[in-house]
Amino acid sequence: MSEIEKILKKYYGYDKFRKDQDKIINSILDNKDCFAIMPTGAGKSICYQIPALMLDGITLVVSPLISLMKDQVDSLNALGINAAYINSSISINEVNKRIDDCISGNYKLLYVAPERINTEYFLSKVKDLNISMVAVDEAHCVSQWGHDFRESYRYIYPFIESLEKRPILTAFTATATEEVRLDVIKLLKLKNPDIYVTGFDRNNLNFKVLRGVNRKDYIMKYIKDNKDSSGIIYAATRKEVDSLWTILNAKGFSVEKYHAGLGIEERKLAQEKFLYDESKIIVATNAFGMGIDKSNVRYVIHNNMPKNIEAYYQEAGRAGRDGGKSECLLLFAPQDVVLQKFLINQNDVSIERKKEEYRKLQFMVDYCHITGCLRQYILKYFGEENVEDSCGNCGNCNSELELKDITIEAQKIFSCIYRMKERFGVGTVAEVLRASKNKKVLDMKFDELSTYGIMKEYKLQEIKDMINMLIAEEYLNLSGDEFPVVKLKNISIAVLRGEEKVIQKVEKRKAKKVKDDNLFEALRVVRMNIAKKENVPPYIIFSDVTLKEMTEYFPGNKEEMLNIKGVGEVKYSKYGEEFMNAIKDYQGKNQNGEIEVS
């Protein structure tokens, strides 16, 4: 067993590396700059943490968010690896103490924000540090062509230049097109870097796009059906986050909210309650999540379409970081396109940058409309070749959808739009079809149209959903104005003439699976109790996948427990006995017939 394999087993509890992890580590140990593009959950941090333990001196990790730093440092300390962070959440005295401790050799990794390394004070304090490596996390942020460009990332190379001795420079990201990769290498001035692209596929994630559904009703039903699972619900605006949170909270769900309009302490509390499993759900704008290592997120729902594929894949990728099966659901409505175009117009950026954002937005819109494999589309976007036509694990490839003929309903809708002279939006058309007594409807004399009330057997929202689906399926156009109106297309005229049918894809009803989760739940209780005592999130103790493996193999001694993925020597010595006792207790009750299948 090599030295890096021994460290992997001792601290992380794994017998072997994932794809290319060992190659990246060995490149770093050979004093080479590296750039690694690895999917979320593929173990990027191990690639710089293991070399940090083996190199002389200290490794500086440039990290974009306070929450990310704390999460990473908590995880490292739980493994028995000494690490610290410096950011605005700690006092100047604590900053000085931590840097002094680094100089004394008490820490092997120090996490800092990119803004911090640009200050004269920090530069003067770290001049005595023996910095062996600088690891840049979320490296796509350095490029203006990346989806999350940050000006502060441009401070990194000047900082490297200011050091007397140039350290090894490494960069890591999960989402970068070829254009962004070249930009990162150029801007960080990586020296003949070893480049690793381990692939973008996350085969444990099930992708699904749902068009024209009642989003709030769908979310409500979904989280009821998955009430024991942790999930993130992303919305495009603060207003939408507040609205969803209010509805879910009123229904008694364990839910938090997170957006930039909340105070720092409010955001911090919401995030910690979610990380510590005190709340199952968090509703958030894209301000939440970068670098969050919570491993047991079982679903990510996008209430609105994001602005580009990079942003979507990064946000969706916060599900299933432990390798367990998870769902990524995107609830699309045509208004999302109008909103994203509005947000692009509001950006104070160059014309060239806006053109690029519009181009990327169109890729996202196309993703929401395709009938082929969703996974294939994403992987090809990031430049992967030889991708299979069907993954068998997305909403378009599997058999979760069935066909329903709604030609008659579509003809009624098209006829109404025609008689309203194609001058009104989805809501007004739906009100006419539903026979609304709305003042606008009556003032415009729409109650005199032959199509007034011809769909009154449907709820108003059902009609709106159907119109939105017809727009998404390109039977109708939606103008890109501030107040978008619905217009007919050539194909809708063909439907009116009976020359074309309209088929809607709807979800099949799923039978609930009956299973025995008693041991898993018992182990979760043990994990929660330990987490509360140690004041860390439960997944830092053990991931859901590790607990699931315990329920399959029933480890009863040290050797068997160390064979469980994610159980290293440090964690075994801390927690092994408690989990084995819970397993033995379960086995005893099971033999006595006390366990019931739920």
Side-chain angles (χ1 to χ4, degrees), residues 19 93 123 223 233 402 405 425 454 492 571:
K19 184 180 180 182
N93 289 336
L123 289 170
I223 60 178
I233 302 169
E402 59 187 0
D405 190 330
I454 61 172
S492 49
K571 287 196 173 183

Side-chain angles (χ1 to χ4, degrees), residues 66-118:
I66 289 173
S67 56
L68 166 59
M69 296 181 203
K70 185 178 185 306
D71 210 30
Q72 292 269 9
V73 169
D74 284 346
S75 296
L76 286 168
N77 290 335
L79 293 172
I81 298 171
N82 292 329
Y85 60 81
I86 291 176
N87 57 42
S88 58
S89 71
I90 61 175
S91 68
I92 190 66
N93 289 336
E94 184 61 23
V95 170
N96 290 332
K97 180 180 181 304
R98 291 186 184 186
I99 293 177
D100 289 341
D101 284 342
C102 289
I103 294 170
S104 302
N106 294 339
Y107 296 118
K108 291 299 291 180
L109 294 105
L110 178 66
Y111 286 72
V112 295
E115 294 83 1
R116 174 77 51 172
I117 61 178
N118 190 44

Side-chain angles (χ1 to χ4, degrees), residues 555-558 561 572 576-585:
N557 55 48
K558 180 177 180 180
M561 185 62 90
Y572 173 78
E577 290 292 334
E578 287 186 68
F579 283 92
M580 285 193 296
N581 287 339
I583 292 167
K584 289 173 184 174
D585 183 55

Side-chain angles (χ1 to χ4, degrees), residues 504-534:
Q504 182 182 16
K505 288 183 177 180
V506 295
E507 277 198 291
K508 289 181 179 178
R509 290 178 174 269
K510 293 181 183 176
K512 289 191 175 181
K513 294 180 181 177
V514 178
K515 57 182 179 180
D516 180 2
D517 277 337
N518 288 285
L519 177 55
F520 180 65
E521 291 304 319
L523 296 179
R524 284 177 67 178
V525 170
V526 173
R527 181 177 67 177
M528 178 62 81
N529 291 337
I530 295 172
K532 285 179 177 177
K533 281 190 283 187
E534 299 198 359

